[in-house]
Amino acid sequence: MTRFVLRRLAIVPLLLLGLVTIAFVISRLMPADPIAAIVGERSMNNPEVVQAARERWGLDQNVVVQYVSYIGRLLTGDMGTSFQTRAAVSSDLAERLPATLELTILALVIGAVFGTVLGVISASRKDSFTDNAARVFALLGSSLPVFWTGLLFLFVFYAQLGIVPGPGRLSARVEAPPHVTGFYTIDALLSGNVPLFVDAWAHLLLPAFVLAWGLMGTISRLVRAAMLDELHSDYVRTVRAKGIAESAVMRRHVLRNSLTPVVTIVGFAFGSLLMGAVLVEQIFSWNGIGSYAVEAARSLDYPAINGVTLLGGVIFLLASLATDLVYAAIDPRVRLA
């Protein structure tokens, strides 16, 4: 297992370097000038102001020098200063990350739990009305784009029915809890403010469900297919021949052996959900990494763009490593591959 972990860790720095390099090159190839966002349109006609801004942010140097300088600072832990916020990118990311993590973790739990339940129901009642309804629900979740479902659910459940709160992490004129973890739900409980926890939880549910619906559909289809394959295995016929109840056969044998592929899906889904929450955060006015990435892209904020890309790469690689470790623990054949 130690050699397995070391092999995975050895390639992480190279992957991150490649990721940062690609993001750096693509951002520099954009047909726009970030100086306009830095100094404003009115100051673009003033050559002295423009030149001073280029020198201040190092944009007067050629691309190779900028790249070498950025990598050098990055090795010391300096991700640069945002053109827009004028704050360190690392500080901006640390401030925004808890909001995205809170949303993503709940979405992952919803997708994994309810996706597994739907898959079990579909497999145990194959070709029934329940099975068909669950499969349609899963197909819709996997097919519909999140921006459409997000807007639709906001319109129906907030604007029309009024059963869920509107966009944002908290209601208007409600102060955020004292910062401890950055998770409003946890911080509200730590401060003993139950009404604030209820408000934060209510705001969290709808965007988390929208983000989780696609994962729910993927997992339910995977569990259903795996369980149907297991149901035709020889060991299942042997267990049934011993007179064990069908519910025990499904729970103790079929489901347990069908969940192994789900580990891979859940592990990779965490990184995908975390960095794929851009549209959900925009729709629900969620002040997280996704909205920060959109703001950085709009203003060609090079340091922020590279910082978000690097953070996403680190999270995805760590999630991939954790998935490999869990999968290797479950299946020793993986360690020998």
Side-chain angles (χ1 to χ4, degrees):
M1 180 64 81
T2 302
R3 293 179 59 189
F4 176 80
V5 174
L6 292 177
R7 287 202 307 267
R8 293 297 187 271
L9 290 177
I11 63 173
V12 169
L14 295 177
L15 292 174
L16 289 178
L17 178 62
L19 186 65
V20 169
T21 302
I22 292 173
F24 185 92
V25 172
I26 291 178
S27 63
R28 265 56 177 187
L29 292 177
M30 295 292 290
D33 191 349
I35 288 296
I38 295 174
V39 303
E41 292 293 340
R42 294 184 178 180
S43 300
M44 286 298 292
N45 295 325
N46 190 327
E48 295 180 355
V49 172
V50 171
Q51 183 60 30
R54 291 189 184 279
E55 294 176 358
R56 162 69 178 81
W57 297 103
L59 298 176
D60 58 327
Q61 302 170 338
N62 64 60
V63 176
V64 175
V65 174
Q66 292 182 41
Y67 174 75
V68 173
S69 175
Y70 176 72
I71 296 298
R73 294 196 307 270
L74 199 59
L75 291 175
T76 65
D78 182 8
M79 301 176 73
T81 303
S82 169
F83 295 164
Q84 293 299 299
T85 65
R86 302 298 194 270
V89 172
S90 57
S91 299
D92 287 342
L93 295 177
E95 180 182 350
R96 300 283 194 116
L97 183 59
T100 302
L101 282 177
E102 186 176 35
L103 175 63
T104 302
I105 292 174
L106 181 58
L108 189 67
V109 172
I110 292 174
V113 173
F114 286 95
T116 302
V117 171
L118 284 176
V120 172
I121 293 174
S122 294
S124 59
R125 302 180 183 181
K126 184 174 180 293
D127 295 331
S128 66
F129 173 79
T130 304
D131 177 29
N132 292 330
R135 292 167 66 185
V136 170
F137 180 80
L139 180 62
L140 290 175
S142 302
S143 304
L144 296 176
V146 292
F147 70 86
W148 190 85
T149 55
L151 292 173
L152 177 64
F153 284 4
L154 267 180
F155 176 75
V156 174
F157 297 110
Y158 167 61
Q160 297 299 314
L161 300 179
I163 59 177
V164 297
R169 298 183 69 189
L170 294 171
S171 299
R173 295 182 295 277
V174 174
E175 294 186 2
H179 182 86
V180 179
T181 65
F183 289 43
Y184 281 2
T185 50
I186 296 178
D187 290 349
L189 288 177
L190 292 176
S191 64
N193 194 334
V194 177
L196 182 59
F197 166 78
V198 173
D199 186 75
W201 180 256
H203 281 80
L204 183 60
L205 283 178
L206 188 59
F209 177 81
V210 171
L211 188 59
W213 196 3
L215 175 62
M216 195 187 309
T218 301
I219 291 180
S220 66
R221 295 201 310 273
L222 181 63
V223 171
R224 179 183 184 275
M227 289 187 67
L228 290 178
D229 287 340
E230 293 292 330
L231 284 172
H232 294 90
S233 301
D234 292 337
Y235 79 91
V236 174
R237 284 194 291 268
T238 302
V239 170
R240 283 172 170 168
K242 293 180 179 181
I244 298 178
E246 186 66 17
S247 59
V249 173
M250 297 291 290
R251 184 178 64 256
R252 297 178 185 175
H253 301 280
V254 177
L255 178 60
R256 180 178 298 178
N257 292 329
S258 301
L259 290 181
T260 303
V262 177
V263 174
T264 304
I265 297 297
V266 171
F268 285 109
F270 179 74
S272 300
L273 289 176
L274 192 66
M275 300 313 298
V278 175
L279 294 175
V280 174
E281 289 188 3
Q282 286 295 107
I283 293 170
F284 289 92
S285 300
W286 206 263
N287 195 29
I289 294 295
S291 58
Y292 182 72
V294 172
E295 294 166 4
R298 285 175 176 171
S299 59
L300 278 183
D301 191 341
Y302 292 159
I305 293 173
N306 294 331
V308 171
T309 304
L310 180 61
L311 176 64
V314 169
I315 292 173
F316 195 88
L317 290 175
L318 289 178
S320 176
L321 177 61
T323 302
D324 288 341
L325 293 177
V326 174
Y327 207 89
I330 296 174
D331 188 350
R333 294 173 298 179
V334 176
R335 297 196 296 268
L336 303 176

